[in-house]
Amino acid sequence: MKRIVLLSAILACMLCVLRASAQEDSLRATRYVMRSTMIGAGKSNVFETYLSPVEYKGPEVRILHESMRMTRLMDGNVSVQNLVQASGSYTKNRSGTGEMYSGFFNWTCGLHYQFRINDGLKILFGPMLDLTVGGIYNVRNSNNPAQAKAYGSIDASGMLVYKFRIARYPMVLRYQADLPVLGAMFSPEFGESYYEMFSLGHDGRHVAFTSFHNNPSLRQMLTLDFPVRKVVMRVGYVCNIQQAKVNHLKSHVYSHDFMVGFVKNLYLLKGRRKVSMPNRVTPF
């Protein structure tokens, strides 16, 4: 009887130690963070019927900052991703007689549940908050020279992360797609100027509900990570397809940018202190 009681006490102590160790590992996992910064350039196709009935095409520049870390949600299987992007383009019409300047700032925050298929393959899926502000300016117009852009949505976001080696050279390939599902968008009404809207106080439907029927959009990103000595480099491609038809106004912005940058894997300590973390332990 005494032996049974002793064995039970030992087992209980071992379970407590294992549970505490698992909790400690989970807390530590939330401190691992992947951060990357990329800059790039490409082409943009801008169409805005409020300003012009024709498309404008030209070069675009983009900067992208990403951070990603694990959370304690759902037994530590959910990661949080923050993406901040800023882009600007200079476009012309086909005849070269008109010019437009465009600028956009986009912030997304997504929660992804990580399905670990094997040691090298992960599939991530979850909801994402997507907010964008910006504007388009047409040099030729005198009455309505600019169009403000502001819209937000809840997206369905998916990601595929594949870690592999070529010989002994480690690499990480990632594909991500974000699809807006429900949202809202600011837009003047057809034929309405900003002077009529704000100075004269004309009533109108200036905030429209958006979904697949009037905002069929998709953002895609493909990246490849590889080490160069002690630095992890990242090259990528961003395809941003934004389309809308609200208040009898059509618009689209198609962007294709090739990116290059670097990745930092960090372990956050209390306060603002941080140290580098092993490459084998990463939320990405």
Side-chain angles (χ1 to χ4, degrees):
M1 185 66 181
K2 291 182 179 180
R3 292 182 178 180
I4 295 175
V5 173
L6 181 60
L7 288 173
S8 299
I10 293 174
L11 288 174
C13 291
M14 291 177 63
L15 288 174
C16 291
V17 171
L18 290 174
R19 184 175 180 181
S21 177
Q23 289 179 348
E24 184 179 359
D25 290 340
S26 177
L27 292 175
R28 288 180 178 179
T30 62
R31 294 183 180 179
Y32 292 123
V33 58
M34 181 275 293
R35 292 178 180 171
S36 73
T37 301
M38 293 191 294
I39 59 173
K43 292 185 178 181
S44 181
N45 182 317
V46 182
F47 178 61
E48 183 63 58
T49 57
Y50 183 77
L51 303 176
S52 174
V54 299
E55 292 181 327
Y56 284 64
K57 299 180 181 180
E60 177 181 81
V61 294
R62 180 181 298 269
I63 183 170
L64 184 152
H65 180 74
E66 176 185 7
S67 67
M68 190 170 176
R69 64 190 300 176
M70 299 303 298
T71 70
R72 304 179 194 177
L73 299 175
M74 303 184 72
D75 296 327
N77 291 313
V78 176
S79 60
V80 57
Q81 179 196 44
N82 280 277
L83 277 171
V84 178
Q85 301 185 61
S87 62
S89 64
Y90 169 70
T91 55
K92 294 184 177 181
N93 57 16
R94 180 175 297 181
S95 62
T97 58
E99 302 174 350
M100 282 205 303
Y101 295 89
S102 305
F104 296 94
F105 179 84
N106 173 258
W107 172 72
T108 60
C109 180
L111 294 173
H112 298 92
Y113 187 91
Q114 300 200 359
F115 298 92
R116 296 174 175 85
I117 308 303
N118 52 48
D119 292 338
L121 179 63
K122 292 195 296 186
I123 298 176
L124 289 70
F125 184 79
M128 173 175 282
L129 176 64
D130 190 342
L131 301 176
T132 300
V133 294
I136 304 173
Y137 175 71
N138 192 310
V139 177
R140 296 182 62 183
N141 292 6
S142 57
N143 186 23
N144 292 330
Q147 167 72 310
K149 309 293 286 187
Y151 48 93
S153 62
I154 300 296
D155 300 356
S157 178
M159 195 184 309
L160 180 70
V161 180
Y162 179 53
K163 298 182 179 181
F164 63 100
R165 290 177 178 269
I166 297 179
R168 296 184 178 181
Y169 195 77
M171 306 179 83
V172 181
L173 181 68
R174 182 262 303 267
Y175 170 75
Q176 180 173 350
D178 306 323
L179 177 69
V181 179
L182 298 173
M185 176 178 294
F186 163 80
S187 174
E189 294 189 337
F190 180 80
E192 180 185 32
S193 67
Y194 282 84
Y195 173 76
E196 294 172 331
M197 189 175 7
F198 294 108
S199 297
L200 300 182
H202 285 187
D203 293 330
R205 184 171 171 264
H206 299 134
V207 178
F209 166 79
T210 59
S211 189
F212 302 114
H213 66 290
N214 61 356
N215 183 218
S217 302
L218 179 66
R219 183 185 299 108
Q220 301 176 86
M221 180 168 60
L222 181 67
T223 62
L224 178 66
D225 297 357
F226 54 93
V228 178
R229 293 188 178 181
K230 295 183 178 181
V231 179
V232 179
M233 299 296 299
R234 171 173 289 181
V235 294
Y237 164 70
V238 175
C239 175
N240 189 23
I241 300 174
Q242 300 294 322
Q243 304 176 116
K245 183 180 179 181
V246 296
N247 290 346
H248 304 287
L249 296 172
K250 293 182 179 180
S251 66
H252 71 232
V253 177
Y254 303 150
S255 299
H256 303 274
D257 298 307
F258 293 92
M259 315 289 292
V260 62
F262 60 91
V263 180
K264 282 288 186 180
N265 295 314
L266 304 171
Y267 183 80
L268 302 181
L269 301 177
K270 292 183 179 180
R272 296 185 177 180
R273 294 180 300 162
K274 53 184 180 291
V275 296
S276 296
M277 73 184 217
N279 290 329
R280 67 179 183 274
V281 184
T282 168
F284 180 73

